[in-house]
Structure formats: C-alpha cells, structure tokens
Amino acid sequence: MSAQIPISTFKPYRGEKARLVRAYDYLILVLALFLFIGSFHLHFALTVGDWDFWVDWKDRQWWPLVTPLIGITFPAAVQAVLWDKFRLPMGATLCVAALLLGTWVARVFAYHYWNFFPINMVLPATMVPGALVLDTLLMLTNSLTITSIFGGAAFALLFYPTNWPIFGMFHQPVEVANSQLTIADLFGFQYIRTGMPEYLRIIERGTLRTYGQYATPLSAFCSALLCSLMYPLWWHIGKWFASTRYLAKI
Amino acid sequence: MATTTEHVSLSTETPKSLPWYLIDLPKYLKGFGLLTVIYVSLRLYQGAFAVAHGLDSSEPAFEQYWMRLFYIELAVIAAVASGIWGYLWTTRDRNLDQLEPKEEIRRYFTLTMWISIYTFAVYWAGSYFAEQDNSWHQVAIRDTPFTANHIIEFYFNFPLYVILGGCAWLYARTRLPLYAKGISLPLTLAVFGPFMILVSVGFNEWGHTFWFREEFFAAPIHWGFVIGVWFALGVGGILLQGVTRLIELLDKIEDAD
C-alpha cells in the first residue's frame, strides 16, 4: 500500500485552510533544520572527520577529494524529495547550510571554549557555493543526468578555490627550528592532540605529492568524477528512504 | 500531546488564542525549552568538572562526579521511557474508525511536533555532542568507556532521542488511522535506523579497546554510526505520507475565514 497524491485536488487554499497549511510549513521548517544539522553533521564528521576539523589536515591531496565526495551525499538525497515531489530547488543548499551551522556551533563551544583550541585552527570548510550551483542546475535543467555530470563535477571543482580565501593564509611558510613549515603545521605542533602523531595524520601520502603544484587540480578532477557518480547513487538512496509504503508487519 | 476521540470536544474548546490545529503548540515549545535546559546544563557540568575530575577514572573523584551522574542518567532514562511510552499506549484511541477529519488533522500536527522534538534531540546527539566527543578525546587519553563526554553522549543523549523517536512512532500507531492500519515504512526507518546508532556504541568501544585509544573520527570503527544516521532520511517519506493525507482531509472540511 502506498500513498497516492490526488493531483486533481490541488488548488489554492483560502482563509483558515491557507493559515493551517502555512502553520504546517513552519513546523516542517523547524523539523528539517534540526534533522539535517543532526544527521548530515554526524555522517560528515565520521567520514570526512579530521580533514574538516583541523587546519593542518587540510592538505592538497585528500582534503579536496574526500570532502566534496562525502559532502554531495545528503544534498543529492534531499534534492530527490524536495525537487521531485515539492519543486523546491533548495535541497543541497539547505543541507550544506545546516551542516555549516552545526559545525560552527561545535567548533566554537566544543573545541574553543571547552578544550581551548584556537578558532583559527578548527575553522570548518564551506560547500555553500557548490550547493548553490547544484540546486540551480537541477532547477534549470530538471535533469538527473545533466545535474549528475555537470552539477556533481562543479560541486567538487568549486570546493578548493572557494575555500582558498579562508585557508590560503595558513599555507604561508614559516621557519621554525631550522625547518620550513606552514602556519597550519605550526598550529598542529603547538596544540598537541591524540590524532596528531604522523601515523594517524594521513595527509599528503603517496607519489602524487611529487607532482608539486598539480596535486590539487588532479585531486579536484578525481573528486569531480567520483561526485558525478556519487550524486545519482545518493539521489536513488534518498528516493528509497522517502518511500510512502505502509507494511502489514515488520 | 495524547488525546483520544473521547476528548475531542474538550480539546477543541480549550484554546482561546490558538487555532484548533495548534492546540499542542505550548506543549511543543515547552518540550524544546526543557530539552535545551537539560543539554545546556550537561554542557556546563562538563565545563565545570571534566578537566578537574574527569581525566583519570581510577580516582575517587571520578566515581563521585562522573559515575554518579551516569547512574542518575540510567534511572532518568528508564523512568522517562517507561512513563511516556506507557502513557501513550494506555491512553491510545480505541475508536479510530470514528475519527473526525478536523481531529485527524490536529493529530497530524501533533505527530509533526513529536518528530520535530525527536529531530531536536538528534541535533544535540548527532551534531553538537558528537563533535565534542572528538574534541575531548583529542586532549584526554581514554582509560575507560565511561569518559566525561561518553557519559553524556552515549548513555544519555542516544537513549533520549531513541525514546523520543519511539514516542513519535507510538503516537502515530495509536492515534492516526493510516498508521494504525499499516506500519509506516519511512517512520519505522526514521526511528529504528538511528536506534542502531545506540547499538553501534558496542562496536565503537570494542574497536577502541582493540585498535587505538586515541581519536580518529573517519576510522571504520565509526561507520556503524554513519549507516544508522542515513535512515533519518526516512523523514522525507513521513512528510509525503502526511501531506498526502492532509490534502485528503482538508477536502473534507468546510472552508472558513
């Protein structure tokens, strides 16, 4: 048994019915805000994790690969419902804005005020520009295929350049004890963490770093390819979870 | 938020300032207020006593400040679960076939409020205190599964949102005809999936015992939590079920100014 929306009954409500529907909208807005902060943030923190927590983990190789790849999941799943069923072109932006709100609250009160990490050391990355493009592209094309290929790629490719104004300054070189470090590295060595030792800090590994300045664009384009695949996968996951079935038993 | 058809006339007469479909709004707002006070108080308690008495579980002060809190939490969780779930079940509506459209609409609003309260608890457990878990375990080497943040996050926040999710499920099952006739798949997914996050605590602690005592959030021992939270996407299906039914019900009631 599935719920069927009776299309013939759609008409503008007036008077009390219009107020009732508007009140229901507000209830849903509050519900959705906390739902997406709570769920998307947990998903993101336990997969992207340290790459988003710490400034010295934001490397040229893994950070631009992992963050968009995981970051496109919930936006795709929520777009599958909000665009497909309600024609609301805001699923990706809603998810990413909710995530950003949740991470900022945690970074300020859980990292800075409880354990005294400098706020500059725990700034969250932003995916808002990519999400805006993803929503706009879906709205303009109304096509899962085009949004997957071009929207998914744009979501990944925009990540590094749109974050550069926030994090570029921490890549400035400094000389400490006859060694050249970045300011981000210096933060890491000054504020000792259990996740800080080199065996846990899996950044800039492998031979890709020998490509020098090309490491970042290579990672970004690899992420673009993966995001183009991840987007339709999560669109269908979102559709599956948004089932309207009633079961006889569980 | 529990009302049976026997109480319909009473409940529709009571509010003078609020429309009939928002009769439970004050209780909803009080629920938000109460939860905010509880979570902020727990955070302030951590700020006051975690560094002072929460770093070494072998110290007597740890038993006094943290394990005592843990035992209190267990008692509160048991009382709240049995109290609210018991109330929702014993006051269930036994005349759902006679439910008026207006009363059913009001109950859909109340169900939405229950789910909203549930997602508010999911926010504190899945967002704030979850990231705080990383923050704490980056500065404190764990020597027990009952650390100063775990005692709040795993043994209070997780069970509390499970209880509130269970309340939403029970409310729908006992007071709304469609949910009583069949078991809503998306509502069940949205409640029982995140419940598995609580179960994943066992895997998490097992992994930390075997592999490492430091913190590394993206490690596979945490992916049980990740899969559990995907099921929260079932809320999209609940919304579709609710909107579909509300459209039908609104067609059955008269227009009013």
Side-chain angles (χ1 to χ4, degrees):
Chain A
M1 179 169 60
S2 288
Q4 296 294 324
I5 297 177
I7 295 169
S8 60
T9 61
F10 283 148
K11 60 189 175 190
Y13 291 121
R14 296 173 192 281
E16 185 185 52
K17 286 185 184 178
R19 290 194 297 277
L20 183 150
V21 170
R22 181 54 54 90
Y24 190 71
D25 287 344
Y26 283 126
L27 278 180
I28 294 295
L29 272 177
V30 176
L31 184 158
L33 176 71
F34 290 113
L35 172 74
F36 294 127
I37 301 178
S39 57
F40 189 27
H41 191 181
L42 187 65
H43 163 92
F44 190 79
L46 294 171
T47 44
V48 177
D50 296 76
W51 281 283
D52 196 62
F53 301 151
W54 312 108
V55 71
D56 61 333
W57 276 69
K58 290 181 169 60
D59 64 342
R60 297 171 297 174
Q61 190 177 336
W62 286 103
W63 179 52
L65 177 71
V66 172
T67 314
L69 183 61
I70 299 298
I72 204 168
T73 52
F74 268 54
V78 175
Q79 276 186 339
V81 177
L82 289 191
W83 176 251
D84 214 37
K85 304 292 183 188
F86 296 97
R87 280 294 179 264
L88 288 171
M90 50 175 272
T93 310
L94 172 68
C95 284
V96 166
L99 173 68
L100 204 55
L101 194 61
T103 48
W104 265 105
V105 171
R107 302 299 158 83
V108 171
F109 292 99
Y111 288 78
H112 183 60
Y113 283 118
W114 194 19
N115 291 317
F116 308 108
F117 291 111
I119 198 68
N120 273 345
M121 190 183 177
V122 292
L123 291 175
T126 181
M127 293 182 287
V128 170
L132 287 168
V133 169
L134 205 59
D135 277 334
T136 307
L137 208 59
L138 181 63
M139 180 182 68
L140 293 177
T141 65
N142 191 25
S143 164
L144 175 60
T145 309
I146 293 173
T147 310
S148 297
I149 295 170
F150 296 105
F155 191 82
L157 292 173
L158 282 170
F159 178 72
Y160 201 87
T162 53
N163 277 283
W164 186 251
I166 306 171
F167 297 104
M169 58 184 162
F170 301 112
H171 289 244
Q172 293 297 312
V174 287
E175 193 175 310
V176 179
N178 293 324
S179 295
Q180 194 180 53
L181 309 170
T182 64
I183 292 173
D185 284 329
L186 192 59
F187 267 116
F189 291 126
Q190 289 292 322
Y191 293 89
I192 305 299
R193 294 149 291 163
T194 61
M196 178 264 178
E198 292 302 312
Y199 70 91
L200 275 181
R201 190 166 168 259
I202 49 175
I203 65 166
E204 304 242 0
R205 276 187 174 179
T207 56
L208 186 64
R209 65 177 307 184
T210 61
Y211 281 24
Q213 72 272 28
Y214 300 115
T216 300
L218 282 172
S219 293
F221 274 95
C222 178
S223 187
L225 168 69
L226 294 175
C227 279
S228 295
L229 301 172
M230 196 68 135
Y231 182 84
L233 174 68
W234 273 81
W235 174 283
H236 290 293
I237 288 175
K239 286 205 95 151
W240 185 83
F241 274 113
S243 157
T244 54
R245 289 174 61 201
Y246 293 93
L247 306 175
K249 63 172 185 173
I250 51 172
Chain B
M1 294 191 199
T3 311
T4 62
T5 40
E6 292 89 340
H7 302 143
V8 172
S9 56
L10 181 69
S11 63
T12 48
E13 284 166 12
T14 310
K16 294 297 176 198
S17 54
L18 286 170
W20 53 270
Y21 46 87
L22 288 177
I23 191 172
D24 284 323
L25 187 67
K27 291 178 191 167
Y28 170 62
L29 296 177
K30 282 176 196 165
F32 263 103
L34 179 65
L35 286 180
T36 305
V37 168
I38 290 170
Y39 290 122
V40 171
S41 301
L42 288 169
R43 171 61 184 81
L44 292 174
Y45 187 89
Q46 287 179 314
F49 301 115
V51 173
H53 306 297
L55 293 172
D56 184 349
S57 68
S58 64
E59 284 188 354
F62 188 92
E63 183 71 26
Q64 184 187 344
Y65 283 90
W66 292 101
M67 293 313 290
R68 195 173 289 175
L69 175 66
F70 171 67
Y71 301 133
I72 292 169
E73 285 175 357
L74 291 186
V76 169
I77 288 296
V80 170
S82 51
I84 305 188
W85 286 355
Y87 172 76
L88 284 171
W89 179 252
T90 53
T91 58
R92 66 190 179 277
D93 192 341
R94 293 174 173 83
N95 301 306
L96 281 176
D97 51 336
Q98 296 162 24
L99 197 61
E100 293 293 323
K102 269 194 167 182
E103 175 60 9
E104 192 174 339
I105 290 172
R106 191 194 66 72
R107 292 184 188 187
Y108 269 100
F109 271 74
T110 306
L111 172 63
T112 309
M113 292 176 196
W114 269 117
I115 297 169
S116 185
I117 289 284
Y118 167 51
T119 64
F120 187 55
V122 168
Y123 158 69
W124 285 98
S127 177
Y128 182 74
F129 282 96
E131 264 220 23
Q132 190 169 264
D133 207 59
N134 178 68
S135 175
W136 180 246
H137 295 130
Q138 293 285 348
V139 297
I141 299 286
R142 70 187 78 200
D143 62 350
T144 170
F146 302 102
T147 63
N149 199 65
H150 279 178
I151 283 177
I152 310 294
E153 171 72 340
F154 287 171
Y155 310 110
F156 182 76
N157 293 352
F158 281 8
L160 186 60
Y161 82 65
V162 169
I163 291 170
L164 293 171
C167 287
W169 195 90
L170 266 177
Y171 183 89
R173 185 82 176 142
T174 55
R175 283 157 177 84
L176 286 164
L178 283 184
Y179 290 89
K181 234 179 280 177
I183 297 169
S184 163
L185 178 60
L187 180 59
T188 305
L189 291 175
V191 170
F192 286 89
F195 164 73
M196 293 306 290
I197 294 175
L198 174 61
V199 181
S200 293
V201 169
F203 179 49
N204 178 67
E205 291 311 304
W206 181 81
H208 277 296
T209 308
F210 268 81
W211 295 316
F212 56 89
R213 288 159 68 186
E214 303 90 343
E215 193 59 277
F216 177 29
F217 250 37
I221 58 166
H222 293 144
W223 292 353
F225 298 129
V226 177
I227 294 166
V229 85
W230 293 350
F231 287 74
L233 291 168
V235 172
I238 304 169
L239 176 64
L240 288 171
Q241 286 180 329
V243 168
T244 309
R245 184 62 180 156
L246 281 173
I247 291 170
E248 290 171 359
L249 292 168
L250 283 172
D251 284 346
K252 291 181 186 172
I253 62 173
E254 296 291 322
D255 281 320
D257 289 331

